[in-house]
Amino acid sequence: MLEQEKNYDVLVIGGGIAGIESALKLGDMGYKILLVEKDATVGGHMILLSKVFPTLDCSACITTPKVSEIARHPNVTIITISEVQEIEKLGEKRFSAKILEHPRYVKENLCTGCQECERVCPSYTDDQYQLSQVARKAVYIPFDIASPRIALIDIENCILCGACEKVCAPEAIDFTQEEIITEIEVKSVVVATGFQLFDPTIIERYGYGKYKNVVTSMQMERQLAPTRPFNTVMRPQDAKVPDNIAYVLCTGSRDNRVGTPICSQICCMYSTKQSQLLMGALPMADVSIYYLHIRAFGKGFCEFYQQTVGMGVEFIKGKVGKITEKPNGNLILRYEDIETGKVKETEHDMVVLSVGVLANPEITKVFTKQKLEIDPYSYIHQSDELANPAKTSIDGVFVSGTASGPMDIPDSIMSAATAASGTSNYIKH
């Protein structure tokens, strides 16, 4: 819950890796930061990943020290399950912002994170942090390394039985909590609202949502992560460990028909990374990657791709037209072999759709009086992309990470540092 303090130097919107990095750098410079995150935990997409490419370093091992550092930083205040409702520029280095805090129905200062309430809760619903591959309780802590590690109640799925109240020794459960709107004043704003993943149900011919053994790359990522829902990789329909897995690249990127004309910049390499991890998790499995072009443009990316080929992953230059299901749950991929020009079909146990990323332009609506402009692809417009890439159309508002366009984790962190530098220069001069 937001403290009584109403004046901060910088408002950072978004608690993913870019928002965390910007807030940490500005906090280290001595600025007072308010970081607002809409989810129940900070860490964004990165804290849910297994490993990062091309080094295969543990993603959570990189993220959690930063999450821990920002949680303890004396100059940074974090509020979760909260949204910025309105931002108005009052003058030079003066912004007014209205913050909406949704009720957690758990007193943050009393909850110990013991999860006794979660154990006795009788109500189940889909676990969004595991991409709906398993269920969670109505009262829950998002995942083991969530920060803050405080329970919350999903009131829409709560049956109000009171079981959690009865076992909560510190009496932290509080069903009387209501929404709180607080108005604060800041000198500058950093927008780090990240990206959305493409919804593959839009491409009906791939059968996502219809065929259970067609999953997204993020669902596969969770099956490979240390905090994964199962102890192995399995296909959803029958829990069979798959012997033959296919990836379909460019699902929802470079495709004008679904409104996503640009490259996601990450799906080639995260699919290549996952294929290596699968070869380790399932040594006897065959992995095939259907692609249009492999875009291995970063430092060490091409070598990582060549290493993957050497490990035995099959790369097929082919455009997948349709996926159909056999009675046993196996999937038939019908594709055009671009090398030969022939239409072919192959059978796989499981198909992973390598989904692209989309802009998250909703944040532009909170700015009143002055318009926060977006580019033709709905990302935040960088008004001086070469000399000051964090600068936006509103003087004093800076963009950090993938809010300005698709990028990988190293580029997102560099963008965050640029946003922090631009913000500091704006406040000082």
Side-chain angles (χ1 to χ4, degrees):
M1 186 173 292
L2 199 56
E3 297 170 355
Q4 295 303 311
E5 179 67 57
K6 296 292 193 310
N7 290 297
Y8 296 87
D9 293 313
V10 184
L11 169 64
V12 176
I13 310 171
I17 189 63
I20 289 174
E21 188 70 15
S22 293
L24 277 177
K25 291 201 174 300
L26 287 163
D28 289 344
M29 294 178 203
Y31 297 109
K32 290 178 64 180
I33 312 300
L34 175 65
L35 188 150
V36 178
E37 167 56 44
K38 68 179 187 327
D39 287 335
T41 172
V42 295
H45 294 283
M46 186 176 172
I47 205 166
L48 299 176
L49 303 181
S50 53
K51 295 180 184 292
V52 296
F53 57 77
T55 57
L56 293 185
D57 287 328
C58 166
S59 181
C61 300
I62 299 169
T63 319
T64 47
K66 288 186 178 293
V67 167
S68 178
E69 185 181 355
I70 199 169
R72 292 170 171 77
H73 202 294
N75 289 335
V76 181
T77 301
I78 300 171
I79 53 170
T80 54
I81 326 177
S82 301
E83 300 172 48
V84 178
Q85 275 199 322
E86 186 179 308
I87 298 177
E88 180 181 347
K89 187 167 185 179
L90 305 174
E92 188 64 14
K93 300 174 190 173
R94 280 192 68 205
F95 291 86
S96 170
K98 286 182 182 175
I99 313 294
L100 169 64
E101 294 179 75
H102 295 286
R104 184 182 283 269
Y105 302 108
V106 175
K107 295 175 182 172
E108 296 182 21
N109 58 335
L110 296 181
C111 179
T112 61
C114 69
Q115 294 182 282
E116 280 300 317
C117 55
E118 193 171 336
R119 276 185 274 277
V120 299
C121 178
S123 179
Y124 289 86
T125 188
D126 284 350
D127 186 342
Q128 70 270 35
Y129 291 96
Q130 301 290 2
L131 282 297
S132 301
Q133 297 181 99
V134 291
R136 63 158 169 80
K137 300 291 185 69
V139 57
Y140 66 105
I141 289 176
F143 45 87
D144 290 343
I145 54 175
S147 178
R149 188 177 164 77
I150 298 172
L152 72 154
I153 295 176
D154 172 0
I155 204 68
E156 291 185 2
N157 289 293
C158 176
I159 58 173
L160 301 175
C161 66
C164 53
E165 273 186 301
K166 293 173 185 170
V167 298
C168 184
E171 299 181 346
I173 305 296
D174 181 5
F175 284 104
T176 67
Q177 288 185 355
E178 296 180 347
E179 291 183 343
I180 300 172
I181 296 177
T182 307
E183 192 163 342
I184 64 164
E185 196 164 304
V186 294
K187 297 172 183 173
S188 183
V189 178
V190 174
V191 177
T193 45
F195 62 89
Q196 305 174 63
L197 288 170
F198 176 78
D199 176 6
T201 58
I202 295 172
I203 306 178
E204 294 181 5
R205 64 183 186 281
Y206 285 171
Y208 181 76
K210 179 180 176 184
Y211 308 140
K212 289 186 175 178
N213 295 330
V214 177
V215 301
T216 67
S217 46
M218 196 62 191
Q219 287 176 310
M220 178 55 79
E221 190 79 32
R222 292 305 303 156
Q223 291 209 27
L224 293 165
T227 52
R228 58 192 174 183
F230 318 116
N231 288 325
T232 185
V233 176
M234 60 175 65
R235 62 182 200 174
Q237 185 181 38
D238 49 13
K240 174 189 172 185
V241 175
D243 296 322
N244 192 331
I245 303 165
Y247 278 79
V248 179
L249 302 194
C250 294
T251 303
S253 54
R254 303 174 66 199
D255 190 346
N256 267 320
R257 292 170 297 181
V258 293
T260 53
I262 60 175
C263 174
S264 72
Q265 298 200 27
I266 54 173
C267 88
C268 283
M269 295 312 297
Y270 75 58
S271 302
T272 303
K273 174 200 74 177
Q274 287 187 10
S275 70
Q276 282 206 19
L277 298 178
L278 279 169
M279 298 289 277
L282 308 174
M284 302 306 291
D286 295 321
V287 182
S288 304
I289 294 181
Y290 293 83
Y291 72 98
L292 299 178
H293 304 95
I294 292 296
R295 294 187 167 176
F297 52 83
K299 183 180 179 182
F301 287 11
C302 188
E303 291 80 2
F304 188 69
Y305 161 68
Q306 289 169 340
Q307 181 187 57
T308 309
V309 174
M311 289 174 69
V313 174
E314 185 180 15
F315 284 81
I316 301 168
K317 191 173 177 64
K319 185 173 179 59
V320 176
K322 189 176 183 180
I323 299 173
T324 53
E325 186 183 55
K326 292 181 67 176
N328 65 357
N330 285 1
L331 299 153
I332 304 295
L333 263 68
R334 184 177 175 85
Y335 69 100
E336 177 192 356
D337 186 325
I338 296 174
E339 301 287 357
T340 64
K342 294 181 179 177
V343 175
K344 298 181 178 178
E345 290 187 346
T346 53
E347 183 174 338
H348 298 276
D349 289 348
M350 190 174 181
V351 172
V352 182
L353 302 178
S354 297
V355 293
V357 299
L358 302 175
N360 206 3
E362 288 295 308
I363 190 63
T364 59
K365 296 177 183 174
V366 308
F367 288 88
T368 60
K369 293 191 176 179
Q370 282 187 286
K371 185 179 179 183
L372 186 66
E373 294 180 0
I374 56 175
D375 66 16
Y377 310 108
S378 298
Y379 289 95
I380 305 297
H381 174 62
Q382 298 160 282
S383 59
D384 191 357
E385 193 168 356
L386 294 180
N388 189 355
K391 185 176 170 59
T392 70
S393 57
I394 302 177
D395 201 26
V397 178
F398 298 89
V399 62
S400 173
T402 52
S404 64
M407 63 183 75
D408 60 20
I409 291 168
D411 285 349
S412 192
I413 291 174
M414 283 193 289
S415 167
T418 304
S421 175
T423 304
S424 177
N425 283 334
Y426 171 78
I427 294 174
K428 284 180 180 175
H429 301 104

